Amino acid sequence: MIDASDFLGPDPDADDLDDEADGGSEAADFVALKDCLQALADAIASTNLAVVSNSLGDNPGAGARVQASVAALKRFHDAFVVLKGDEAEEAEDE
């Protein structure tokens, strides 16, 4: 089993938090990864529900599910940009 506390970084509510500490980047990556996976799961579920709604003849319901799927894919893209941004910064540093 993996201990996720190694990836979380310092507690943001702690009084002795050093502003120059770089421990927050791992926590931001962890949150962005979680957001990516959640948004991708929402997009897949919404797409599947759109297909089911359409097959049952519920066109307005299918349209709403497609809109939810597109919104979830946008959330996925926004969260993925955070992860790609860190990789781009690392490439520039090298």
Side-chain angles (χ1 to χ4, degrees):
M1 188 159 156
I2 298 172
D3 184 17
S5 64
D6 294 338
F7 300 102
L8 296 179
D11 183 11
D13 296 329
D15 292 336
D16 59 345
L17 181 63
D18 184 11
D19 291 336
E20 297 180 17
D22 191 33
S25 65
E26 290 89 11
D29 288 348
F30 193 65
V31 169
L33 182 61
K34 183 183 105 104
D35 291 344
C36 279
L37 293 175
Q38 182 63 49
L40 192 58
D42 291 345
I44 292 169
S46 294
T47 302
N48 289 340
L49 289 173
V51 170
V52 169
S53 294
N54 191 37
S55 69
L56 295 175
D58 183 18
N59 290 333
R65 295 296 181 185
V66 168
Q67 289 176 347
S69 179
V70 170
L73 287 173
K74 179 166 178 9
R75 286 191 351 249
F76 171 79
H77 176 72
D78 292 342
F80 194 73
V81 166
V82 172
L83 294 175
K84 288 289 267 188
D86 290 342
E87 290 176 7
E89 288 175 8
E90 289 175 6
E92 288 178 5
D93 291 342
E94 292 176 359

